[in-house]
């Protein structure tokens, strides 16, 4: 079925749940008025519906390929990328000094999600460039910014990030790539990187790689890593692509999904690179890009959830199977109770994940606009939750979409399976979801839980205020937030990190459940307590929110039972 951009959902969330007007009230984002937001969403939605969505299936059927060392992208991708670039969508949040629109992360997040829903394989290309732009804006020298940022912002050049090596996945500090000073301010980069999304293409003039490598005096581990910008073509004296650099794509990964997105094995053989930021401080610079990408990856999961939901809904409205319990019994399968349960779950989960991602984006915007530490802390807290919730929702909704299709969901021609194949990797890259959960209970609680407890207090206050209007919904939300507070207190009481890590993922899932309920409650209140959003909120709060109790029971068990298992127990 054709994809339809959920513009109205975003407008509702902006105006009534998340609070775009608060962002627009700052001097930094004063141009982000409701009319501006509507215009951005409408135009981006049109691009996604008319240009990108038709590329979704062809990219899956006709993957990117490597021919005699030259990368060939899927049919139509070059034209689709040009439409993205010419529309200014690659860097709508980038600094206007370099050609960006300077708009809030809220709008960037919405646009990125719609593009991911329409064609995730292609959307990965601008997402990588966006992350590189942010890293260079924060850490590159003025000279490097002046040369590279306008080209990246315009889409003439594209960007990647190179972290992973065959022996160093999540353990980035184990990398072996090295950087040798050339004596002229440049460095010779040598090493191999794997899983590099859009490591090359045939539609931009240059591909700029951010590469982690170790200088000769770099100490072992992450503290000895530096970051380098290594372009495919070395810019000449006019800033145009010049001599070919000593790097190449040596193979493409054969993946479960995302066939239209070339995932490359990159080889650097003394390639010329330039240091970004300070020597041995590469991880700090790279984390700027990774944190940007983590929110973006969460949005990719939400986008796929939206696409899978729309696909399943269209099928349920058309497919006739069995006697239905309404009317004369000859209705479509949407009339069956279990099908309705699946569809309601898909829609309610997607709304909750979308709201969480937008709340994270708003916190980033408010920190950017005001410099207030509490907004920075809120953004840091919500980033791992948004990444995990968004990607897990995408996987769950896509999986449910296959189930709803029945046997036809397992048949590739229906397109239902592609959503699950494409989205599955989002739970792995930009920091696996397990690592995100560990970050939440570890680093993000190092403030004594101040950021988390402040957010919990806000949820409880909002639920308490809603008791007079929607008592049947407000009560469970308040009680669930109390359970979240207790689970957070338990985490804070554990001084041994392994005790926290053993329950990190269920804690994050429970946290996301409570946040989702908070936003559903806000939507119902904004609607006046009667309407489709209220009915969806009631479904989420009465049927899905109770799962929080199981999550928190799991989260607070500690690690003893896990380590009581012996090696032989796993094979018994």
């Amino acid at each position: 079925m054709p994809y339809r951009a959920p513009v109205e959902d975003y407008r509702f969330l902006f105006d009534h749940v998340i609070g775009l007007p608060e962002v627009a009230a700052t001097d930094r984002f004063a141009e982000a008025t409701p009319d501006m937001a509507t215009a951005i969403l409408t135009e981006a939605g049109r691009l996604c519906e008319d240009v990108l969505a038709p590329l979704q299936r062809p990219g899956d059927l006709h993957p990117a390929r490597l021919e005699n060392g030259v990368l060939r992208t899927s049919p139509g991708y070059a034209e689709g990328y040009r439409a993205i670039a010419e529309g200014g969508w690659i860097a709508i949040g980038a600094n206007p000094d370099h050609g960006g629109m300077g708009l809030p992360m809220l709008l960037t997040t919405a646009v990125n999600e719609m593009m991911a829903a329409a064609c995730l394989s292609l959307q990965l290309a601008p997402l990588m460039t966006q992350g590189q732009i942010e890293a260079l804006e924060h850490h590159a020298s003025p000279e490097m910014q002046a040369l590279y940022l306008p080209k990246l912002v315009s889409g003439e050049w594209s960007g990647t990030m190179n972290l992973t090596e065959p022996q160093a996945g999540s353990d980035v500090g184990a990398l072996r790539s090295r950087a040798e000073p050339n004596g002229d301010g440049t460095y010779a980069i040598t090493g191999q990187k794997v899983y590099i999304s859009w490591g090359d293409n045939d539609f931009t003039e240059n591909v700029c790689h951010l590469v982690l490598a170790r200088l000769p005096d770099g100490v072992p581990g992450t503290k000895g890593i530096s970051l380098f910008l290594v372009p495919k073509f070395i810019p000449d004296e006019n800033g145009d692509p010049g001599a070919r650099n000593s790097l190449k794509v040596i193979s493409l990964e054969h993946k479960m999904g995302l066939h239209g997105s070339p995932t490359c094995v990159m080889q650097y053989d003394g390639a010329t690179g330039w240091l970004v930021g300070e020597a041995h401080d590469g991880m700090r610079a790279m984390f700027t890009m990774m944190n940007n990408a983590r929110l973006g990856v969460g949005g990719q999961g939400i986008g796929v959830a939206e696409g899978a939901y729309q696909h399943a809904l269209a099928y349920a409205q058309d497919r006739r199977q069995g006697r239905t319990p309404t009317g004369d019994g000859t209705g479509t399968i949407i009339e069956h109770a279990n099908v309705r349960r699946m569809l309601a779950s898909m829609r309610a989960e997607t709304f909750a994940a979308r709201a969480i991602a937008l709340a994270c984006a708003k916190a980033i915007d408010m920190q950017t606009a005001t410099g207030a530490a509490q907004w920075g802390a809120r953004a840091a807290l919500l980033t791992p939750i948004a990444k995990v919730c968004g990607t897990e929702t995408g996987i769950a909704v896509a999986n449910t979409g296959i189930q709803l299709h029945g046997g036809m969901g397992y048949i590739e021609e229906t397109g239902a399976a592609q959503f699950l194949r494409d989205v599955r990797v989002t739970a792995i890259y930009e920091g696996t979801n397990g690592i995100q959960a560990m970050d939440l209970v570890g680093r993000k609680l190092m403030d004594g839980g101040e950021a988390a407890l402040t957010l919990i207090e806000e949820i409880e206050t909002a639920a308490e205020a809603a008791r007079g209007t929607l008592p049947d919904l407000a009560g469970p939300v308040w009680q669930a937030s109390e359970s979240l507070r207790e689970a957070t207190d338990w985490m804070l009481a554990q001084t041994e990190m392994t005790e926290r890590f053993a329950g990190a993922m269920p804690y994050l899932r429970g946290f996301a459940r409570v946040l989702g309920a908070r936003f559903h409650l806000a939507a119902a209140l904004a609607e006046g307590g009667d309407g489709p959003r209220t009915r969806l909120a009631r479904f989420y709060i009465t049927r899905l929110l109770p799962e929080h109790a199981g999550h928190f029971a799991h989260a607070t068990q500690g690690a003893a039972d896990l380590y009581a298992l012996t090696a032989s127990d796993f094979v018994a």
Side-chain angles (χ1 to χ4, degrees), residues 307-351:
Y309 169 74
Q310 291 188 20
H311 199 77
L313 176 62
Y315 185 79
Q317 291 173 323
D318 182 68
R319 172 70 167 164
R320 297 181 184 277
Q321 183 77 36
R323 184 172 179 80
T324 55
T326 57
D328 61 1
T330 61
T332 61
I333 63 171
I334 198 172
E335 300 300 330
H336 292 298
N338 190 52
V339 173
R340 289 198 167 204
R341 178 194 61 79
M342 287 191 281
L343 288 170
S345 295
M346 296 166 84
R347 184 157 176 76
E349 294 274 35
T350 303
F351 179 90

Side-chain angles (χ1 to χ4, degrees), residues 354-369:
R354 181 176 288 148
I356 291 170
L358 291 179
C360 183
K362 177 188 176 180
I364 293 171
D365 288 331
M366 293 302 294
Q367 196 278 330
T368 299

Side-chain angles (χ1 to χ4, degrees), residues 4 15 79-80 165 178 181 212 220 274 277 280 288 297 314 381 407 416 438 489 566:
R4 290 290 174 261
D15 295 342
E79 292 79 7
E165 298 183 6
R178 62 187 189 276
L212 288 178
W274 286 261
H280 317 308
T288 299
V297 169
L381 176 74
M438 292 164 65
D489 287 340
T566 66

Side-chain angles (χ1 to χ4, degrees), residues 352 356 385 389 484 507-517 540 552:
I356 291 170
I385 301 175
C389 183
L484 173 57
Y507 173 78
L508 187 150
R509 289 174 184 256
F511 206 136
R513 269 283 175 258
V514 177
L515 280 173
Y540 185 96
F552 293 143

Side-chain angles (χ1 to χ4, degrees), residues 221-301:
T222 56
K223 292 183 179 179
I225 295 174
S226 300
L227 182 64
F228 301 88
L229 183 58
V230 189
K232 177 181 177 181
F233 295 101
I234 299 172
D236 62 20
E237 63 277 7
N238 298 315
D240 298 320
R244 177 69 184 253
N245 212 343
S246 301
L247 60 89
K248 60 184 176 181
V249 178
I250 60 175
S251 66
L252 300 183
E253 304 291 358
H254 301 282
K255 299 174 297 183
M256 174 181 177
L258 292 178
H259 295 155
S261 170
T263 301
C264 304
V265 177
M266 301 294 303
Q267 182 67 39
Y268 297 86
D269 295 308
T272 301
W274 286 261
L275 182 67
V276 178
E278 299 296 324
H280 317 308
D281 196 29
M283 288 304 295
R284 186 171 68 90
M286 183 60 85
F287 267 117
T288 299
M289 184 174 187
M290 288 186 68
N291 281 329
N292 176 296
R294 283 168 178 164
L295 176 57
V297 169
Q300 289 179 332

Side-chain angles (χ1 to χ4, degrees), residues 477-524:
V477 175
W478 188 91
Q479 189 57 56
S481 63
E482 269 296 289
S483 298
L484 173 57
R485 182 190 297 278
E486 293 169 3
T488 303
D489 287 340
W490 184 92
M491 287 289 175
L492 291 168
Q494 310 310 307
T495 57
E496 173 55 55
M497 284 296 104
T498 300
E499 299 296 314
R500 298 189 190 187
F501 293 163
M505 182 58 84
Y507 173 78
L508 187 150
R509 289 174 184 256
F511 206 136
R513 269 283 175 258
V514 177
L515 280 173
R518 160 72 182 99
F519 292 126
H520 271 290
L521 178 60

